Amino acid sequence: MNSICYDHFNQKTKSMSLKRSILDLRKRKDEVRLGGGEEAIEKQAAMGKLTARERILAIVDEGSFHEYDMFVEHAGTDFDMGNKVLAGDGVVIGTGTIYGSPVCLFAQDFTVAGGSLGLSHARKITKIMDHALKMRVPLIGINDSGGARIQEGVNSLAGYGEIFFRNTLSSGVIPQISVILGPCAGGAVYSPALTDFVFVVENISKMFITGPAVIKSVLGEDISMEALGGARVHAEITGNAHFFALSEKECFEQIKTLISYIPWNNTQRAKSFPPKEPKTKLKIENIVPADARLPYDIRDIIKSITDSSEFFEIMELFAANIVIGFGRMNGETVGFVANQPMVLAGVLDCDSSDKAARFIRYCNAFNIPIITLEDMPGYLPGVDQEHAGVIRHGAKILYSYSEATVPKITVIIRKAYGGGYIAMNSRHLRADFVFAWPSAEIAVMGPEGAANIVFRKEIAEAANPEAMRQQKIQEYKDKFANPYVAASKGYIDEVIEPKETRKILLHALQISTHKDVPAPAKKHGLPPF
Amino acid sequence: MADQENKQYIIVHSAKYETTYTKKYLNRKVWEEPNFNLIKSYIPGTIVDILVKEGQVLKAGDSIIVLEAMKMLNDVQMPFKGKVVKIHIEKGQKIPKNFVMMEIEPVK
């Protein structure tokens, strides 16, 4: 019995030389690389979109990408799906490098069955996710999909669930990046939402739970996809997106820059670069107006401190009253959290608290020291804020700073009032170093508010109450609106001249290099979310 | 930044700060005191049935409207003992959230 099979096999291999089988392999791969076919690729291009493989190749170092599971077939049998061939089941997975750093990637291929997610499609994604976690390298996922493959029913839901679970398991261990380059609707949105950074591109990215068609039929509300869940909406209003770009090309550059700032995993530090001085034309002492009620751009202060004056801002358009992002100090990555007086006077509110807190936790998880620049008049007053839960959202900042064990350094530029003073990485939340400029005003509240309360009687009884009020405001300002009261209690380590800021920060970072603080053992904390 | 004539300010602790507003801040909802005499839809949906007539006096908890939403027939009830003053909906009508469906007034 065996000899018959053997003979048959032998005959076949003899007739088909290795060269022929190589040509056959190439043909098979070329067929898969064609995805949904030329017509579908043309359609994709007409929407201003690159194909899945073009996107991956545009992100990774030249010649570094290796694709896996090209010949995986879809698992559908119902509704005549058994006869259909779906190239790679609509998703490309593989490994590559970015500036020499290893990454795992997947990209959904919209040209194949609309990038819809079936069981095999999901298994390819979870395979590369498992790989990324095992190898402790970043994961980049490119989303471009019509959603669940309805023909595969609950199997497709199972696929999503397996992905979400892995997103959560990998959270805080490896960096996870989501790139939305097409539709990402319904349950599918929750994978990006569970990852660290979400990238969107104008006119291409669309994210929503319920699409415009359903909203129209149920509610009669007529809204376009772009207005409902376009890139700008998520970058500016919902806060779901961290990076906004005008083209796919710009988006890929942003991804590569981000990768250069972050470590491979939670046991590593980000890559070091050669130290560079800031560009000298930004004179730090000329940026801040003497009058604490006048605005300026806090990013100019950051750029006057960082190497080459470079600052990589995150969530630039959302809650712009707080600024977050990465810069380098002496070649090492540092996370910046800074109040922005130019927008809403730099107040803390629901959105800015949420934005800063998530970033602080990111830096802490990935061993990135945090520098906090403070110029903040307090929390935004208003019924809408109170009812939107500014208490629980505001608490997130306190929680994140308190919990963080990475080096934490604060520089108080001007205003540090009330609860906001405590929240912005104060000594009391175990900041490692707190510095203040001589222009700092550290007090329980601003002079105007405080004078109204402390000297209420004197003001009410004065012959000229307004003149008395001004006099008392000045009196309070002279006595309390300075850094010296806090310095006299040791809450501030040193009052510094603005031009010394970079030098002192470099020193503080150097001293903190091997910081090690014990924390009580626990399963996990309960941050207010 | 805002130009000279069009400066934007924010007041915190009695101090007035020059700054710029965000779109979200400009679009924030102004709070209104709730009027309990208006029966508003708490979910968008379709009116399946109106169980009362204008002028009718009802107890708290009496069913007044059946509102179909999210594949569920929601039973809208009288919040207190009162009279139906005006009905603003009709059977089959699709309504958004916070739509005033009925005006009522309390009776002793």
Side-chain angles (χ1 to χ4, degrees), chain A residues 164-240:
Chain A
F164 303 160
F165 173 75
R166 281 164 179 78
N167 283 135
T168 309
L169 203 66
S170 303
S171 182
V173 182
I174 53 168
Q176 298 186 85
I177 292 166
S178 296
V179 195
I180 316 300
L181 294 178
C184 178
V189 296
Y190 285 114
S191 174
L194 289 165
T195 60
D196 308 333
F197 297 107
V198 177
F199 290 75
V200 291
V201 177
E202 187 155 59
N203 296 323
I204 291 179
S205 315
K206 269 124 197 131
M207 287 178 91
F208 35 73
I209 299 280
T210 314
V214 176
I215 291 185
K216 193 172 180 195
S217 75
V218 176
L219 313 176
E221 291 170 349
D222 209 350
I223 189 164
S224 70
M225 273 197 198
E226 199 62 25
L228 177 67
R232 219 169 257 281
V233 170
H234 290 301
E236 214 175 308
I237 297 171
T238 67
N240 285 331

Side-chain angles (χ1 to χ4, degrees), chain A residues 45-46 52 64 93 159 165 189 194 210 240 271 274 308 342 349 356 401 426 448 462 481 490 495 509:
Chain A
S64 75
I93 66 165
F165 173 75
V189 296
L194 289 165
T210 314
N240 285 331
K271 202 151 109 185
S308 314
M342 203 173 78
D349 58 6
Y401 270 128
S426 61
E448 291 83 355
V495 183
L509 286 165

Side-chain angles (χ1 to χ4, degrees), chain B residues 19-31:
Chain B
T19 189
T20 52
Y21 298 147
T22 57
K23 225 191 261 175
K24 232 175 165 176
Y25 180 77
L26 288 167
N27 292 335
R28 72 194 186 284
K29 251 197 191 159
V30 177
W31 184 76

Side-chain angles (χ1 to χ4, degrees), chain A residues 234-471:
Chain A
H234 290 301
E236 214 175 308
I237 297 171
T238 67
N240 285 331
H242 301 79
F243 295 96
F244 172 84
L246 296 171
S247 67
E248 291 198 15
K249 196 167 168 257
E250 189 191 351
C251 172
F252 301 149
E253 285 310 312
Q254 291 173 340
I255 295 167
K256 285 152 89 171
T257 307
L258 175 68
I259 287 286
S260 80
Y261 276 106
I262 58 177
W264 296 3
N265 61 54
N266 66 338
T267 64
Q268 307 282 313
R269 296 184 88 121
K271 202 151 109 185
S272 298
F273 282 72
K276 277 182 187 158
E277 285 299 306
K279 290 172 193 159
T280 44
K281 57 182 173 185
L282 290 158
K283 271 241 161 71
I284 194 165
E285 57 266 48
N286 298 341
I287 298 167
V288 179
D291 186 341
R293 288 167 303 180
L294 293 179
Y296 62 95
D297 191 343
I298 192 71
R299 291 172 297 192
D300 289 340
I301 301 275
I302 298 175
K303 287 177 191 163
S304 67
I305 295 171
T306 54
D307 284 13
S308 314
S309 294
E310 279 170 7
F311 177 55
F312 186 55
E313 191 171 352
I314 301 167
M315 297 180 103
E316 188 182 342
L317 303 173
F318 178 74
N321 40 326
I322 206 154
V323 170
I324 57 170
F326 296 122
R328 288 193 186 92
M329 298 289 282
N330 222 10
E332 306 285 340
T333 298
V334 169
F336 282 89
V337 178
N339 310 113
Q340 173 61 291
M342 203 173 78
V343 180
L344 296 179
V347 291
L348 290 177
D349 58 6
C350 297
D351 286 346
S352 65
S353 302
D354 201 76
K355 172 177 164 180
R358 184 107 200 270
F359 181 66
I360 294 160
R361 298 195 91 204
Y362 185 84
C363 291
N364 191 45
F366 289 100
N367 315 312
I368 298 168
I370 303 162
I371 292 178
T372 304
L373 301 177
E374 182 168 7
D375 188 348
M376 182 261 351
Y379 284 89
L380 179 64
V383 181
D384 62 316
Q385 281 295 310
E386 299 293 339
H387 287 187
V390 70
I391 295 174
R392 72 185 166 87
H393 290 297
K396 292 177 190 172
I397 287 207
L398 291 161
Y399 193 101
S400 314
Y401 270 128
S402 301
E403 170 192 51
T405 54
V406 289
K408 302 184 284 186
I409 308 164
T410 302
V411 181
I412 302 174
I413 310 280
R414 290 194 309 194
K415 303 174 296 293
Y417 297 148
Y421 153 72
I422 308 168
M424 293 302 291
N425 193 37
S426 61
R427 159 70 10 92
H428 325 294
L429 306 184
R430 276 199 227 165
D432 298 301
F433 294 96
V434 183
F435 303 112
W437 286 14
S439 48
E441 302 180 5
I442 304 155
V444 69
M445 63 165 67
E448 291 83 355
N452 281 343
I453 295 166
V454 179
F455 305 111
R456 183 172 40 207
K457 217 169 145 202
E458 286 96 322
I459 292 169
E461 286 169 2
N464 183 343
E466 193 41 44
M468 178 62 86
R469 189 198 316 275
Q470 290 310 323
Q471 187 197 321

